[in-house]
Amino acid sequence: MFRFYFVIIISIHLIIYYIVVAEHYSRHLDKYSEKKRYGLALRMIRDIQRRSNIRTISYGLENLPPEELGYIMYANHQGKYDALGILDAHNDVPCSVIMDKDRSKMLLADQVVKLVDGVRLDRNDFRQQLQVLEKMSEDTKAGRKFVYFPEGGYEHNGNKLQHFRPGAFRVAMRAGSPIVPVAIYDSYIPFDFNSLRKVTTQVYFMPPLYPEDYAGMSSKEVSELVKEQIENKLEDLAQNRKNLGLNKWFKDYKKEA
């Protein structure tokens, strides 16, 4: 978390500016379009990246469904930077995110969630979960895009996957929308290690599953299929790192941190 607090300290003037402007935008939704609000969120994310020495490289943007369609991107979850990295990688096409209600109240995360009209999920209120997920399904059907982390949380698991919750996939299946598997790699490094060294994270948008692809499948089967695709990508990336002889560099990075 050293990098996170460092950015807060050196960027306090910018943070105050973004808090004020984000609050203004979120209170006047009739005056500021989704694209305008999303643009401000991206500016904030990219300011954070620049000042904290983080770079995110994206691959597979050509795999994303046509812009007029709503879809849900299901990604592995590694840490506090994950949503920011995916939103940045998604470029200028507005998308939103679903987050744990408590974690979404953190400084900067709160402002991003407001700007992208994110979904805050209360883990202690089952009725609230049903209501917001139903609305999310309807919004997806109407053309909105979302990032969903089916692991539900992260346990500082690095590039290893945890259990995927099948219920998360019912939102997209109910909407009859494309399901886009997204693999993020090294996304835990920025805020897990006490280092300011330059770090590069990766986001891979993989070919989507369209309704006809998952027709007749249960949410558990879809969950297992998406998890397998993400797991295979992570294993390929780990093998590439080994083949390129980068494991020693990575060990040295962790040792320094």
Side-chain angles (χ1 to χ4, degrees):
M1 288 294 288
F2 176 71
R3 192 188 305 258
F4 179 79
Y5 293 124
F6 174 79
V7 172
I8 299 259
I9 292 169
I10 68 167
S11 310
I12 190 65
H13 61 294
L14 266 179
I15 291 169
I16 292 172
Y17 164 78
Y18 281 125
I19 288 174
V20 172
V21 178
E23 288 294 331
H24 178 72
Y25 275 30
S26 61
R27 290 175 183 173
H28 299 87
L29 299 181
D30 55 325
K31 291 176 60 177
Y32 301 100
S33 67
E34 181 185 31
K35 201 169 186 71
K36 178 93 171 170
R37 287 180 276 120
Y38 189 72
L40 179 64
L42 284 185
R43 278 172 51 200
M44 182 163 64
I45 290 168
R46 287 165 184 169
D47 271 340
I48 292 170
Q49 290 173 324
R50 184 169 58 255
R51 290 167 177 271
S52 55
N53 225 7
I54 304 170
R55 182 176 66 145
T56 295
I57 303 175
S58 62
Y59 303 88
L61 281 169
E62 70 280 1
N63 290 325
L64 292 175
E67 193 173 333
E68 63 271 15
L69 290 180
Y71 51 84
I72 299 181
M73 295 168 276
Y74 289 92
N76 54 312
H77 205 0
Q78 298 188 348
K80 293 179 177 63
Y81 179 73
D82 299 351
L84 303 183
I86 295 173
L87 292 177
D88 171 52
H90 203 250
N91 286 330
D92 60 349
V93 178
C95 67
S96 190
V97 64
I98 178 169
M99 289 186 70
D100 176 80
K101 184 178 179 180
D102 292 332
R103 285 181 173 169
S104 74
K105 294 297 178 67
M106 288 181 59
L107 187 65
L108 300 180
D110 185 41
Q111 283 68 54
V112 170
V113 171
K114 286 178 178 176
L115 287 171
V116 302
D117 194 17
V119 177
R120 303 180 196 258
L121 203 62
D122 188 342
R123 300 292 179 187
N124 300 313
D125 188 338
F126 185 65
R127 178 175 293 182
Q128 187 264 1
Q129 292 179 41
L130 291 178
Q131 290 173 343
V132 298
L133 292 177
E134 179 63 34
K135 184 180 186 304
M136 182 177 163
S137 185
E138 291 302 317
D139 287 347
T140 306
K141 194 182 299 185
R144 295 194 68 202
K145 292 93 171 141
F146 290 92
V147 178
Y148 202 157
F149 299 104
E151 288 167 300
Y154 57 88
E155 298 297 334
H156 303 287
N157 49 301
N159 288 315
K160 304 290 185 182
L161 289 185
Q162 301 176 96
H163 172 68
F164 275 28
R165 301 180 180 184
F169 293 86
R170 295 193 190 109
V171 182
M173 296 172 75
R174 189 180 299 121
S177 68
I179 291 171
V180 183
V182 178
I184 55 176
Y185 196 71
D186 287 346
S187 187
Y188 66 100
I189 295 176
F191 297 142
D192 265 19
F193 295 142
N194 293 321
S195 171
L196 290 176
R197 283 184 63 180
K198 184 174 181 179
V199 59
T200 299
T201 75
Q202 301 174 58
V203 177
Y204 289 82
F205 299 102
M206 293 186 280
L209 297 173
Y210 286 93
E212 57 270 24
D213 297 320
Y214 59 75
M217 296 175 67
S218 67
S219 58
K220 186 174 187 297
E221 291 171 327
V222 174
S223 172
E224 290 172 350
L225 177 59
V226 171
K227 182 180 180 183
E228 180 182 13
Q229 292 179 353
I230 293 174
E231 199 159 38
N232 288 342
K233 173 57 71 175
L234 296 181
E235 288 174 358
D236 287 346
L237 292 170
Q239 186 61 48
N240 288 342
R241 172 174 282 165
K242 183 178 179 181
N243 291 342
L244 291 171
L246 295 177
N247 278 350
K248 183 181 184 304
W249 169 88
F250 188 63
K251 287 177 182 176
D252 290 343
Y253 184 101
K254 291 197 288 186
K255 191 181 298 182
E256 279 189 23

